[in-house]
Amino acid sequence: VTILCWRMEPGLCLIWYIVKLRRSLHEKELLKTYAMGHSSIAESTALVSLRHITRDHPEGEMESSEDVGQLLVLLMDMVKARKVLEIGTFTGVATLKIAENLPKDGKVVSLDIDETFVGIGRPFFEEAKVADKIDIKIAKAVESLQGMVDKGQEGTFDMAFIDADKYNYPLYYEYCLKLVRPGGVIVFDNSMFSRKLPWNTHKKPFSCIHEVNERAKTEAGVTSILLTIGDGALIIWKHK
């Protein structure tokens, strides 16, 4: 129908297509607004302020969205998380969200390579009075992860959240399988990568994300689901 329309009246066809596209985008926004409005999302003043500052940052698109943050809180509650591993701190939006929802003796160990980004969030960790729950390690994530393995920390984390460089997703997957306990959960963010992954599975870094998505689907001892929430969230339950 679209091809026939274009051949007969290209101008009218273009107008019809634009109207249809706008209606589709409007419907998607309405659905997201409805979903967010019916989710029990509660964020502290410190977290809201950090979100605003992060969104104004030149790299602000790397921020973890509110719906992904709420997903993390839900999973933390389900596995009764006390110790969480985060790979990729950035300004600490997700770090703060996790820390605020941990028990008093809980800890989030967050890995990043750039103190400049992390420094943006530190005052808000203090404001929220959760700085003592946050352990930031500035180094290459693979080095920090190997250090944890060397120190015998395998199977000591209740949950892991990965939102870092996509080229190393397969390595992070391997380390998280070691470090997260049986019964724990592993969450990969950006698992659809700008909604372009299905058409680019053979190009890096898309192929690196795709490798993890494929492995989690068939790996013995885990159960996974890839959600379209945010930019795609891969949820992995490690049951062995």
Side-chain angles (χ1 to χ4, degrees), residues 16 23-25 30 65 85 106 120 136 157 180 186 190 239:
W16 171 81
R23 183 180 298 167
S24 176
L25 292 172
L30 285 176
S65 59
L85 172 64
I120 295 171
I136 304 286
F157 287 88
V180 172
I186 302 167
N190 304 119
H239 46 83

Side-chain angles (χ1 to χ4, degrees), residues 12 36 49 71 78 91 145 158 181 183 187 204 210 213:
L12 289 175
M36 295 291 285
S49 298
L71 175 64
M78 291 175 70
T91 63
L145 292 166
D158 302 300
R181 65 170 173 83
V187 182
K204 288 188 175 182
H210 179 64
N213 293 343

Side-chain angles (χ1 to χ4, degrees), residues 74-93:
L74 180 64
L75 293 170
M76 287 169 61
D77 286 345
M78 291 175 70
V79 300
K80 296 179 172 55
R82 307 178 78 85
K83 187 180 180 184
V84 178
L85 172 64
E86 180 185 33
I87 305 176
T89 315
F90 188 39
T91 63
V93 169

Side-chain angles (χ1 to χ4, degrees), residues 105-146:
D105 60 345
K107 183 75 71 176
V108 52
V109 180
S110 190
L111 315 181
D112 207 282
I113 198 170
D114 196 333
E115 173 59 35
T116 305
F117 290 150
V118 177
I120 295 171
R122 289 189 188 275
F124 297 95
F125 302 162
E126 295 288 346
E127 180 185 334
K129 296 180 172 53
V130 293
D132 60 325
K133 294 182 182 180
I134 300 171
D135 179 10
I136 304 286
K137 296 185 183 298
I138 303 296
K140 290 182 179 180
V142 172
E143 294 176 0
S144 296
L145 292 166
Q146 185 59 51

Side-chain angles (χ1 to χ4, degrees), residues 32-44 47 66-75 77 97 101:
K32 183 174 181 179
T33 300
Y34 180 85
M36 295 291 285
H38 290 80
S39 302
S40 52
I41 298 174
E43 298 198 331
S44 66
L47 182 52
E66 290 95 333
D67 48 0
V68 171
Q70 186 63 16
L71 175 64
L72 296 178
V73 171
L74 180 64
L75 293 170
D77 286 345
K97 182 74 173 182
N101 288 276

